[in-house]
Amino acid sequence: MRRPHLRLPAAALCALVLAGCSSSSGSDDTGGGPVTIDVWLMRDSVSAEFQADFLEDFHARHPDVRANVQVQEWDGIGEKVTAALASNDAPDVIEVGSTQVAQYASSGGALDLSDKTAELGGKDWLKGLAEPGSVDGKQYGIPYYAANRVVVYRKDLFARAGVDAARIKTRDQWLAATRKLDQGGSQGIYLPGQNWYTLAGFVWDEGGDLAVKDGEKWKGALDTPEALRGMDFYRQLQALGKGPKDSDEAQPPQAEVMAKGDVAQIIAVPGGAKVITEHNPRLAGKLGFFPIPGKSAGTPGAVFTGGSDLIIPAVSQHHEAAYTFVKELTGDTWQRKLATAMSYVPNKTTLTDAVAGDPGAAAMAAGGARTGRATPHTPQWAAVEAENPIKDYLTAALTGADQKSDDAKASEAITRALNAGR
């Protein structure tokens, strides 16, 4: 599925089609000429400048491979990739949302790259990107880049209320600070009622999950004690602001809400700060970031890791050249450059120092590298998001409906979606 609501700002991409490129059909044996591979990268995943720099270096280092990069739109990409993988004319490398990999791998469309994991430094990959790229113990998706939510806050409102963001290390401290902000003349936090990725983090903090494997089937888990504790914390935090209980962070766009009013903090990717200052230039220099706090001071809160993996279609006739491209783009040198250029979290825990000078990206990396998670690892999770009973559950839980009944209903709906067709 598309990486939901990450909305990371970046310069628009351009397709770089190199003169003299031949078709990517046929085998790697081209009679002495360079092999041309077609690569699909997604809109706004990298800037045009980064793409051009990478390709220039790649072609200089690998003159036997020519890369034809084609930029794809997120809207409708799932159907397009599915059709390409089932055809005889697929591209040779495709960027996909990390949680899409299981769907493509289960259909036999993605190449098994398990034997390349060690060479690519897989032991250091971010858990939230590596796990969705693996199916039945085999690695199909190679982690590309990541992003996750942090707390974006108003420095001036924190100072006015006497709150020091640097001292907020635990969830209890966060609640106390937010309560103080809410009582000090500003809206303590703007947290929409249906921000289910944030709820997932609180549930994970408690040791629970949205769904669990039960034998050969999956079972919704929102009615477990762990999930109920996560929901209780969400309820307490959401009550310290004026966020709507029946919509998510996109309706209305929460960055625009923060720009217009006296909202002290929101939970968003750091790129949201740019949107805020675009709508209210007076807030330039007044926004800060810190990781979502966890239950104890030594561990940040769990966060959903959104981002992309790279896959090589099984039907590609240029597996070796495609792997060379993937190896370079996901290798340490270009991961450091990508993280710096795009304010992403790099794909390895050993590379997070690359964003130490970027406050927003550093706050992301502090959580994503240590406590980043993915949604339940099954190709059927897309069916859950299509129906999304978690959003309805959140609204019901926040509006005082029958909590026990709503927990059970939501879990049952997840169970049905995950086991449909079995």
Side-chain angles (χ1 to χ4, degrees):
M1 67 216 68
R2 180 177 178 173
R3 295 163 292 155
H5 305 306
L6 288 180
R7 303 182 187 280
L8 302 175
L13 291 172
C14 65
L16 186 57
V17 181
L18 299 167
C21 289
S22 61
S23 169
S24 64
S25 61
S27 68
D28 277 359
D29 182 5
T30 58
V35 171
T36 296
I37 59 173
D38 290 328
V39 178
W40 285 3
L41 296 182
M42 299 309 301
R43 175 73 61 187
D44 295 338
S45 67
V46 298
S47 66
E49 181 180 7
F50 176 90
Q51 179 177 302
D53 288 346
F54 171 77
L55 288 177
E56 181 180 5
D57 179 78
F58 178 81
H59 292 137
R61 290 167 56 84
H62 304 282
D64 56 335
V65 181
R66 308 302 290 174
N68 173 25
V69 174
Q70 302 165 16
V71 177
Q72 305 297 316
E73 302 294 339
W74 282 107
D75 288 342
I77 190 60
E79 294 82 356
K80 187 171 184 178
V81 171
T82 298
L85 295 179
S87 73
N88 292 319
D89 191 30
D92 303 286
V93 178
I94 306 177
E95 174 191 347
V96 300
S98 56
T99 55
Q100 294 173 326
V101 178
Q103 175 185 350
Y104 302 139
S106 64
S107 69
L111 186 68
D112 178 7
L113 297 170
S114 302
D115 61 336
K116 305 295 187 182
T117 299
E119 183 179 6
L120 295 172
K123 65 181 178 62
D124 296 319
W125 282 337
L126 298 184
K127 181 179 179 181
L129 287 183
E131 286 190 348
S134 174
V135 179
D136 295 330
K138 297 180 180 180
Q139 196 71 38
Y140 296 92
I142 304 305
Y144 181 20
Y145 63 84
N148 51 264
R149 289 162 176 79
V150 301
V151 180
V152 182
Y153 73 97
R154 287 269 302 267
K155 297 178 182 179
D156 54 335
L157 297 183
F158 269 55
R160 188 178 74 186
V163 174
D164 183 359
R167 297 176 66 87
I168 302 175
K169 301 296 184 182
T170 69
R171 291 198 330 196
D172 287 342
Q173 292 170 346
W174 190 22
L175 272 181
T178 304
R179 191 172 293 112
K180 188 174 182 180
L181 289 158
D182 197 53
Q183 295 170 349
S186 61
Q187 188 177 168
I189 188 170
Y190 180 84
L191 177 58
Q194 295 185 345
N195 193 331
W196 69 277
Y197 286 105
T198 295
L199 171 68
F202 299 157
V203 172
W204 292 329
D205 281 340
E206 297 291 348
D209 209 334
L210 305 177
V212 295
K213 196 75 177 290
D214 184 16
E216 293 299 314
K217 295 186 177 182
W218 283 83
K219 181 179 180 181
L222 288 177
D223 54 347
T224 62
E226 296 84 1
L228 293 176
R229 290 196 297 269
M231 182 64 232
D232 184 61
F233 181 77
Y234 189 103
R235 183 185 294 104
Q236 292 181 64
L237 190 64
Q238 203 271 341
L240 297 175
K242 301 175 183 176
K245 294 178 173 57
D246 59 352
S247 63
D248 61 21
E249 63 267 43
Q251 301 175 345
Q254 64 175 358
E256 295 180 20
V257 174
M258 191 172 190
K260 294 176 182 177
D262 59 351
V263 175
Q265 50 187 335
I266 60 173
I267 300 171
V269 293
K274 182 178 180 181
V275 179
I276 293 168
T277 55
E278 285 175 349
H279 283 82
N280 187 352
R282 291 177 298 176
L283 295 182
K286 295 181 179 180
L287 299 175
F289 315 89
F290 59 86
I292 295 174
K295 296 188 70 175
S296 62
T299 306
V303 288
F304 167 73
T305 300
S308 287
D309 282 6
L310 298 177
I311 65 171
I312 298 176
V315 296
S316 165
Q317 298 183 46
H318 304 310
H319 288 170
E320 183 177 346
Y323 173 69
T324 299
F325 184 93
V326 170
K327 182 180 178 182
E328 291 286 356
L329 189 54
T330 63
D332 290 5
T333 297
W334 283 98
Q335 279 293 300
R336 287 184 175 277
K337 293 180 179 180
L338 178 63
T340 301
M342 304 301 297
S343 294
Y344 289 151
V345 180
N347 65 1
K348 296 186 182 74
T349 58
T350 53
L351 301 177
T352 55
D353 62 300
V355 294
D358 182 330
M364 277 201 302
R370 297 181 63 187
T371 57
R373 295 278 298 270
T375 49
H377 188 37
T378 165
Q380 296 301 316
W381 187 255
V384 176
E385 291 203 18
E387 181 181 348
N388 214 327
I390 307 173
K391 286 188 173 184
D392 294 335
Y393 161 66
L394 275 162
T395 295
L398 293 173
T399 53
D402 183 347
Q403 180 74 53
K404 185 176 181 179
S405 174
D406 291 324
D407 300 333
K409 288 179 181 178
S411 292
E412 289 168 3
I414 293 173
T415 300
R416 286 195 301 272
L418 291 180
N419 297 294
R422 280 185 172 275

